[in-house]
Structure formats: C-alpha cells, structure tokens
C-alpha cells in the first residue's frame, strides 16, 4: 500500500529575522521554567509558562499569539530595565565585601574567590539584560508591522 501523497505543497516560507526571536525567547523561558520549578517559585513559573505558550503560538504563526507575545516582549523589556537598574545600585557591594574579606584573614582566599565569582555572575546577568532590552523591543516592533501580521493565520471557525 503506497502512502498518501499530497499534490498541493505548502507554500515555502522565506526567512524572517523576527521568527528567530520567539525561538530564543522560548529557550530562555524554558530554562527559567525549570529553575522556577526547582526553587518552587510558582508566580514566576506561571509567567514562564505563559511566555512558552505565546512563543509556541508565534512559532506556529497563530494569530492570537502575535499580540500576546508583542505585549509580553514589551513587559519583559521593562522588567529587564527595572531589574538592571536595581542591579546597578548594588555595584559597590562587591568592593565592600572584598574589603571585609581582606580584613578577616581567617576567611582566606576562598572568600575572595566566591566574591569574584559572584561579581562575574552579576556582570554576565547585567550584560544579558542590556542585550535583551533592545532585542525584546525590536521583536515587539516587528510583531506589530503589517508585513509580519500578514504571516499569521487566523483561527478557523468551528474548531475548539
């Protein structure tokens, strides 16, 4: 028995740079989902799940997902901006911690190593937020453009 062959091929999609955004956001949301699940932070867990669902809808080009992800991208950019500002307020804390560690020789090199590691983690987090803000705003802008809007298919009537 031969397999059924479709004679009407689906139209080929051209590469769209905006389509990479939901995939990257999906990966970060999935990573956050696992972390929030591990630490039992259920409010953030629900937010990560919402982002995952909206990203999946955009990847599948569902019309309902476009405005949802557009709003979430703006909210995530605002959240990244606020949290980056809060992080910058704590920039001097590493020097203070380093001075306290040097004043207590019994702590040894391990304390200095831990402070240096925390500072590197802080710097990476701040750099990721600085990169994420313009990218999220760009994604929100792209999702609002009429050429991108036309690439989404509306929900079919009569289906649940």
């Amino acid at each position: 028995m031969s397999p059924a062959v479709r004679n009407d091929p689906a139209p080929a999609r051209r590469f769209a740079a905006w389509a990479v955004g939901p995939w990257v956001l999906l990966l970060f949301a999935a990573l956050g989902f696992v972390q929030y699940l591990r630490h039992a932070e259920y409010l953030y867990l629900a937010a990560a799940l919402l982002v995952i669902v909206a990203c999946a809808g955009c990847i599948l080009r569902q019309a309902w997902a476009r405005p949802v992800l557009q709003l979430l991208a703006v909210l995530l950019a605002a959240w990244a901006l606020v949290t980056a500002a809060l992080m910058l307020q704590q920039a001097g804390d590493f020097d203070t911690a380093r001075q306290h560690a040097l004043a207590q020789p019994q702590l040894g090199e391990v304390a200095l190593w831990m402070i240096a590691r925390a500072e590197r983690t802080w710097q990476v987090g701040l750099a990721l937020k600085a990169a994420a803000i313009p990218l999220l705003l760009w994604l929100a802008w792209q999702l609002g453009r009429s050429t991108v809007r036309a690439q989404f298919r509306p929900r079919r009537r009569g289906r649940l």
Side-chain angles (χ1 to χ4, degrees):
M1 183 170 169
S2 66
V5 178
R6 291 180 58 179
N7 290 334
D8 55 337
R13 289 186 187 163
R14 291 183 13 210
F15 174 75
W18 69 266
V20 176
W23 280 103
V24 172
L25 196 54
L26 176 69
L27 291 173
F28 278 111
L31 176 65
F33 184 86
V34 170
Q35 292 297 317
Y36 299 138
L37 182 63
R38 183 176 177 206
H39 297 291
E41 296 182 26
Y42 298 114
L43 181 63
Y44 291 121
L45 184 71
L49 184 61
L50 177 66
V51 173
I52 290 170
V53 169
C55 287
C58 271
I59 290 167
L60 296 173
R61 309 257 174 131
Q62 299 294 315
W64 62 266
R66 188 191 57 77
V68 172
L69 191 61
Q70 188 177 17
L71 175 65
L72 286 175
V74 171
L75 290 175
L76 286 170
W79 175 78
L81 183 64
V82 168
T83 56
L86 292 173
M87 285 176 70
L88 284 173
Q89 290 177 348
Q90 299 172 342
D93 292 351
F94 295 107
D95 289 331
T96 305
R98 204 172 287 112
Q99 290 172 1
H100 286 298
L102 290 172
Q104 299 178 15
Q106 72 271 18
L107 294 177
E109 291 295 315
V110 174
L112 293 174
W113 176 81
M114 289 175 63
I115 294 167
R117 183 174 176 182
E119 187 173 20
R120 278 191 305 275
T121 303
W122 178 84
Q123 291 168 342
V124 168
L126 195 59
L128 286 173
K129 287 176 188 295
I133 293 167
L135 291 174
L136 286 166
L137 293 175
W138 175 82
L139 178 62
W141 172 68
Q142 286 290 313
L143 289 171
R145 293 180 57 218
S146 60
T147 54
V148 173
R149 202 175 313 133
Q151 297 176 26
F152 285 78
R153 60 179 175 266
R155 184 175 171 203
R156 293 183 189 145
R157 300 288 178 195
R159 293 181 88 186
L160 291 177

